[in-house]
């Protein structure tokens, strides 16, 4: 069984999508099933239009777009193929990293803080 959080802090996995996006609607059950596999992590499904205040000023052009943070440090932000195995591998890679490598974007860091706070 997988550890619920990284040794360096809690794990946040946020999927940024839109209600009008068919790929997002199809991906939601997959995202939810992966959430069940990481019970100690915080998973958030964010509609970028309904919750624009949370993601502003980030530009989300491709769906689904994933944001992963470890211990409040953003470690991944970008689109991914909507496959369960891809999501599991990506989450596990960052959850198991001994030392998270932070993304340089101040905007992404601000969004992570809003999501956690």
């Amino acid at each position: 069984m997988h550890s619920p959080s990284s040794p360096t802090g809690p794990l946040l996995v946020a999927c940024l999508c839109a209600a009008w996006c068919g790929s997002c609607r199809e991906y939601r059950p997959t995202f939810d099933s992966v959430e069940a596999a990481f019970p100690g992590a915080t998973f958030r499904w964010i509609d970028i239009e309904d919750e624009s205040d949370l993601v502003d000023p980030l530009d989300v052009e491709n769906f689904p777009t994933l944001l992963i943070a470890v211990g409040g440090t953003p470690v991944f932000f970008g689109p991914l193929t909507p496959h369960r195995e891809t999501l599991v591998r990506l989450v596990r890679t960052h959850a198991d990293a001994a030392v998270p490598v932070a993304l340089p974007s101040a905007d992404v860091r601000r969004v992570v803080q809003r999501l956690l706070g």
Side-chain angles (χ1 to χ4, degrees), residues 14-15 33 37-38 42-43 62 79 82 113-114 116:
C15 187
S33 75
F38 293 88
T42 299
F43 278 65
N62 297 299
Q113 292 309 308
R114 284 196 294 266
L116 293 173

Side-chain angles (χ1 to χ4, degrees), residues 43-83:
F43 278 65
R44 295 277 311 268
W45 185 268
I46 299 168
D47 184 308
I48 64 164
E49 292 174 346
D50 291 346
E51 298 181 82
S52 61
D53 56 319
L54 285 176
V55 297
D56 185 53
L58 299 180
D59 288 325
V60 178
E61 298 176 6
N62 297 299
F63 298 108
T65 290
L66 203 69
L67 172 59
I68 298 176
V70 177
T73 300
V75 294
F76 180 87
F77 176 69
L80 76 156
T81 56
H83 300 113

